[in-house]
Amino acid sequence: MESHTLEDTISKIRFITTKPTGEECGELCDSAEADMDIGNTNDFEVTIAVSDYDTERMGYRCRIFAPGTEYGGIVGDIESISGTRKVALRGRTWRGMLEYKVIEPPAGQDHLTLSGELNTVIRRLIGDRFGGLFVVPEADTGITVNNWRVDRYVTLYDALQKLVDNYGCRLQICYVQPEGLEYGYVTVRAAQIKDYSKDLEYSQEDGVHVTVRDNRNGVNHLVCAGRGENQDRIVLHLYVQKDGTIGKTQYYKGLEEIEAVYDYSGADKEKLEEDGRKKLKELQNYKKCTMTVDDIDLELGDIVSGYDAITDTQVIKPVIQKILKMQNGNITIDYSVKGDE
């Protein structure tokens, strides 16, 4: 199973370990506690009692995963905590592993340029960088990529994320267990974004832990300084508009104007504007929603709605981070939703 529906519950999530070769060794022991971050640090930590530790099934290069989900990764850091009689197993999630591969332009070319069906392009980007562990399914998205220019010397994850964002999709990552095979693998593909905001609105009244933050202290005028010296230096002014978009005409003035400087001394005018817009997006007003939900496992990119009655604030934005925690056999998932005002 590679996707979830509204009927899915996180109570079905279970973690399995494998040998470094990928051969499954059964479920995690009862003493295990887990903390997995998807979308931000993209790493995990699993702690177990020393008495339950088994090098063969929990040692370096072993896999820990929840079948049919993105939760999982490879153990690369082990710490014995003598004071608590516990062992901590840490590593990068599947998404995190994509952050540690770099895209270089082909020899003699300024950029890698790709064309074709979207998943086919993703398959070419991933290539054989992970051996047979990462697989892009033969699924036709119906989306054709034309002469997509990949940025120079970026991580594989950033290249993939920028690509699917441009075509209105999200990156679907899932560990699957094909019938008849002892070894599973990770699928990576483009998938349609699901909008749950019209069907579901999470609030405190629903018994869901919801925190809504409406930050209106953000920067709305960014002075971007690029290449050159003194009067010859490239300077560009970017402004947040009333609707939250970014332009070159000033909207907020006087007391409402909040300024900052973005210093990028090596950038030409084109690069300065491109990165300056990204920077202002990070600094401008935003609404942020975090929630703990126990009835559905949302994917990164899915759109949800959160409401706080005290501030009368509603946030309808994509999920940008989720943190799974497992303690005493109970699993909770915290979601972060952030968007511009």
Side-chain angles (χ1 to χ4, degrees):
M1 182 175 67
E2 293 190 32
S3 62
H4 296 277
T5 64
L6 284 170
E7 287 72 29
D8 290 319
T9 60
I10 63 175
S11 62
K12 296 179 181 178
I13 295 176
R14 58 192 177 91
F15 285 98
I16 293 175
T17 64
T18 78
K19 297 178 181 179
T21 55
E23 183 180 352
E24 294 178 14
C25 299
E27 295 191 28
L28 266 177
C29 52
D30 294 337
S31 69
E33 296 183 352
D35 188 331
M36 292 196 175
D37 184 308
I38 307 294
N40 185 13
T41 58
N42 291 315
D43 57 11
F44 69 87
E45 177 178 293
V46 174
T47 58
I48 59 173
V50 171
S51 57
D52 288 326
Y53 179 63
D54 181 343
T55 301
E56 185 177 33
R57 59 193 296 263
M58 301 175 189
Y60 293 106
R61 308 307 300 167
C62 289
R63 305 174 194 175
I64 298 176
F65 68 94
T69 77
E70 184 178 340
Y71 303 112
I74 294 179
V75 177
D77 178 3
I78 301 176
E79 179 181 7
S80 175
I81 311 171
S82 60
T84 60
R85 300 291 298 165
K86 291 184 177 181
V87 176
L89 314 174
R90 303 186 183 98
R92 300 185 182 106
T93 62
W94 315 124
R95 191 175 292 259
M97 291 170 64
L98 295 172
E99 295 181 301
Y100 285 84
K101 299 291 185 181
V102 176
I103 301 292
E104 296 184 78
Q109 298 182 31
D110 291 334
H111 293 273
L112 171 64
T113 303
L114 302 169
S115 296
E117 188 275 326
L118 182 54
N119 276 332
T120 301
V121 171
I122 290 175
R123 186 177 303 109
R124 183 176 173 189
L125 275 172
I126 292 177
D128 61 356
R129 296 168 186 266
F130 302 95
L133 179 58
F134 281 46
V135 175
V136 181
E138 296 286 347
D140 191 339
T141 61
I143 298 173
T144 301
V145 177
N146 291 310
N147 296 318
W148 177 259
R149 194 173 74 168
V150 182
D151 293 336
R152 293 168 53 86
Y153 298 101
V154 295
T155 68
L156 175 59
Y157 179 67
D158 286 343
L160 289 170
Q161 197 62 56
K162 185 174 182 179
L163 174 65
V164 296
D165 284 348
N166 185 74
Y167 289 93
C169 295
R170 60 180 173 83
L171 204 60
Q172 175 80 47
I173 301 174
C174 181
Y175 195 97
V176 299
Q177 298 169 292
E179 291 185 11
L181 292 180
E182 294 182 351
Y183 308 95
Y185 53 83
V186 180
T187 60
V188 183
R189 64 183 177 88
Q192 293 297 314
I193 293 172
K194 297 179 181 179
D195 187 348
Y196 295 124
S197 63
K198 295 179 181 178
D199 302 316
L200 292 172
E201 181 176 80
Y202 293 105
S203 69
Q204 299 284 7
E205 297 176 356
D206 300 321
V208 177
H209 179 70
V210 176
T211 301
V212 175
R213 179 177 178 180
D214 187 356
N215 182 357
R216 302 187 185 185
N217 276 328
V219 172
N220 52 47
H221 175 193
L222 189 64
V223 182
C224 307
R227 184 181 300 167
E229 298 290 338
N230 300 322
Q231 293 185 4
D232 295 327
R233 190 165 192 185
I234 301 172
V235 178
L236 177 67
H237 294 262
L238 297 175
Y239 302 95
V240 176
Q241 306 301 301
K242 183 179 181 180
D243 61 0
T245 60
I246 295 174
K248 297 181 180 179
T249 302
Q250 187 172 7
Y251 176 79
Y252 296 98
K253 299 179 181 180
L255 181 63
E256 292 185 332
E257 182 183 17
I258 301 176
E259 301 174 278
V261 174
Y262 177 53
D263 190 338
Y264 190 175
S265 59
D268 58 19
K269 187 175 181 180
E270 181 180 355
K271 185 63 174 175
L272 183 64
E273 180 172 347
E274 178 184 352
D275 284 24
R277 286 177 177 272
K278 293 178 183 177
K279 188 64 177 179
L280 186 50
K281 279 283 186 183
E282 297 174 2
L283 299 175
Q284 71 182 103
N285 290 354
Y286 66 84
K287 293 178 181 179
K288 181 178 180 180
C289 177
T290 59
M291 60 185 75
T292 302
V293 184
D294 62 6
D295 62 349
I296 180 174
D297 185 14
L298 300 164
E299 300 288 354
L300 294 193
D302 286 342
I303 298 172
V304 295
S305 176
Y307 177 73
D308 176 60
I310 296 176
T311 58
D312 191 26
T313 302
Q314 183 185 44
V315 177
I316 301 177
K317 289 291 179 181
V319 174
I320 61 171
Q321 180 190 15
K322 54 182 183 176
I323 299 175
L324 178 146
K325 294 184 179 181
M326 180 175 70
Q327 288 184 318
N328 300 320
N330 298 316
I331 293 177
T332 61
I333 301 178
D334 295 336
Y335 297 95
S336 289
V337 181
K338 178 180 177 182
D340 303 326
E341 184 180 48

